[in-house]
Structures are given as C-alpha cells and as structure tokens.
Amino acid sequence: MIGIKSINLEELKQWKEEDKAFQLVDVREDSERTHFNIGGDWIPLAEIVNQKEKINTDKPVVFYCKRGIRSQIAIQKLKFHMSSSQFYNLRGGIYPLL
C-alpha cells in the first residue's frame, strides 16, 4: 500500500539486537498466535481501532501478521484515528519463519 513504511525481518532483528525502543503489535487471530508467535502486543485486526489506546505513538510501532497484508490494513485503519509517522509494516510478515 502506498505511504506505508515497512521493515523486513532482518531489520526487525537488528532493531532488537540494538535494543531500539519500539512496540511490536501482532494483528493476527488468537489461533494463529497460539501456533507461532514472535512476541509483542496482541491486538487482532478486527479490534485495532477499538483498542488503539494500547498503541504507543511515542516510539516506532511495527505491526505484523502472517504475510504482511493485514498489518498494512491495520496501519491504514489507524491513520484515520491516530497521527503517527512511526507506523511500520513487517514486509512479508512472519511467513518466512514458519
């Protein structure tokens, strides 16, 4: 999607190694999270707007899902309700790790 910043798994790993302050948000369904999980806060896509107070806009926020599509949708939805230039999509999602 146009206008959405993204990072890949390697960059996310680097952020973690550097102890960069950021929030990781999993937008998948509960059953997916139970199957495989890389951590972070869990806010299902269907609840992303209703639970927007859980998102910390004072630091970068990386949204992820299985393939990176729902996380892009989550960012698009939030752009209508929150002003942040620090939202990042995990490009390709966690699929390569599965």
Side-chain angles (χ1 to χ4, degrees):
M1 292 188 177
I2 297 172
I4 294 179
K5 295 178 187 178
S6 65
I7 65 170
N8 60 35
L9 283 168
E10 193 60 38
E11 291 167 310
L12 180 63
K13 180 181 174 185
Q14 184 177 355
W15 282 17
K16 286 182 175 185
E17 289 172 357
E18 294 171 352
D19 287 327
K20 180 174 176 136
F22 70 96
Q23 181 181 14
L24 186 62
V25 178
D26 182 350
V27 300
R28 298 173 302 151
E29 296 299 318
D30 188 38
S31 60
E32 294 173 279
R33 186 169 170 83
T34 302
H35 173 69
F36 185 80
N37 184 351
I38 64 168
D41 298 312
W42 176 54
I43 308 173
L45 177 59
E47 293 295 318
I48 201 76
V49 173
N50 294 335
Q51 296 186 34
K52 66 182 182 285
E53 70 281 350
K54 292 182 178 180
I55 298 168
N56 184 348
T57 57
D58 293 334
K59 57 187 173 183
V61 183
V62 178
F63 296 87
Y64 77 92
C65 61
K66 183 176 181 180
R67 294 197 182 252
I69 297 168
R70 287 174 285 173
S71 48
Q72 288 181 63
I73 294 168
I75 293 170
Q76 286 289 66
K77 286 183 171 192
L78 288 171
K79 282 186 171 186
F80 288 108
H81 300 278
M82 304 174 80
S83 60
S84 177
S85 61
Q86 300 191 86
F87 290 162
Y88 292 83
N89 177 51
L90 183 60
R91 185 174 48 252
I94 60 169
Y95 184 75
L97 298 173
L98 299 176

